[in-house]
């Protein structure tokens, strides 16, 4: 009986910490097409400290372009467009100049005007509003 309780507890624990706990999943490019303003990032959804970002992700034709990337000194700049794909509900964005390397993002929440992505490499949460 105790083994059953332990197994049940472990399965619940691992089930809640899995990526399947996210509310939404990406299905197709249609879910992302458009201009998205990256307003701020946070280390976790509960964190009160927000890091302002102020750049725009333009997503169209299986390419992502980051625009108005702020710099500490000088004017903002635009990055070259990179390819992206959606595989298994995860956004895979090519890393410029690194063939076969990707940044991975999981969808946490999306409405018609807002989107929250989790950066799978650093674990930060990215808060977007639609332009």
């Amino acid at each position: 009986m105790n083994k059953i309780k332990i197994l049940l507890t472990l399965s619940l624990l691992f089930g809640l910490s899995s990526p399947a706990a996210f509310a939404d999943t990406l299905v197709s490019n249609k879910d992302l097409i458009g201009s998205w303003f990256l307003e701020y990032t946070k280390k976790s959804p509960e964190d009160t400290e927000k890091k302002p970002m102020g750049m725009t992700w333009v997503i169209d034709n299986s390419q992502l372009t980051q625009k108005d990337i702020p710099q500490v000194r000088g004017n903002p700049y635009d990055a070259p467009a990179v390819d992206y794909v959606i595989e298994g509900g995860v956004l895979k964005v090519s890393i410029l100049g690194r063939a076969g390397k990707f940044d991975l993002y999981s969808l946490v929440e999306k409405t018609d005007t807002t989107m929250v992505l989790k950066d799978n490499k650093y674990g930060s949460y990215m808060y977007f509003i639609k332009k």
Side-chain angles (χ1 to χ4, degrees):
M1 188 68 165
N2 285 337
K3 289 181 183 179
I4 294 173
K5 288 181 182 178
I6 291 171
L7 290 174
L8 180 61
T9 303
L10 288 174
S11 67
L12 287 173
L13 180 64
F14 288 115
L16 292 176
S17 65
S18 72
F22 293 130
D24 298 320
T25 58
L26 294 169
V27 178
S28 72
N29 292 349
K30 293 179 197 174
D31 295 336
L32 297 175
I33 299 261
S35 293
W36 294 91
F37 179 72
L38 178 54
E39 194 171 21
Y40 59 89
T41 63
K42 292 171 44 173
K43 292 181 182 177
S44 74
E46 297 81 24
D47 194 5
T48 56
E49 184 179 340
K50 298 176 182 177
K51 180 180 177 186
M53 296 305 287
M55 73 175 76
T56 301
W57 283 21
V58 178
I59 303 171
D60 195 18
N61 297 326
S62 297
Q63 290 200 320
L64 182 145
T65 306
Q66 295 179 354
K67 295 187 174 220
D68 301 324
I69 301 169
Q71 297 187 76
V72 176
R73 298 181 192 148
N75 295 329
Y77 69 97
D78 296 346
V82 294
D83 294 334
Y84 77 89
V85 294
I86 297 173
E87 286 182 1
V90 175
L91 174 63
K92 292 176 64 174
V93 179
S94 298
I95 299 175
L96 190 64
R98 308 262 332 255
K101 301 290 182 181
F102 300 91
D103 286 324
L104 305 174
Y105 303 94
S106 298
L107 181 65
V108 177
E109 180 181 337
K110 183 176 179 305
T111 67
D112 290 339
T113 58
T114 64
M115 176 171 63
V116 180
L117 296 178
K118 180 180 180 191
D119 182 335
N120 292 354
K121 184 175 183 179
Y122 298 107
S124 60
Y125 290 78
M126 306 165 72
Y127 292 80
F128 293 88
I129 54 175
K130 188 124 186 192
K131 286 179 105 179

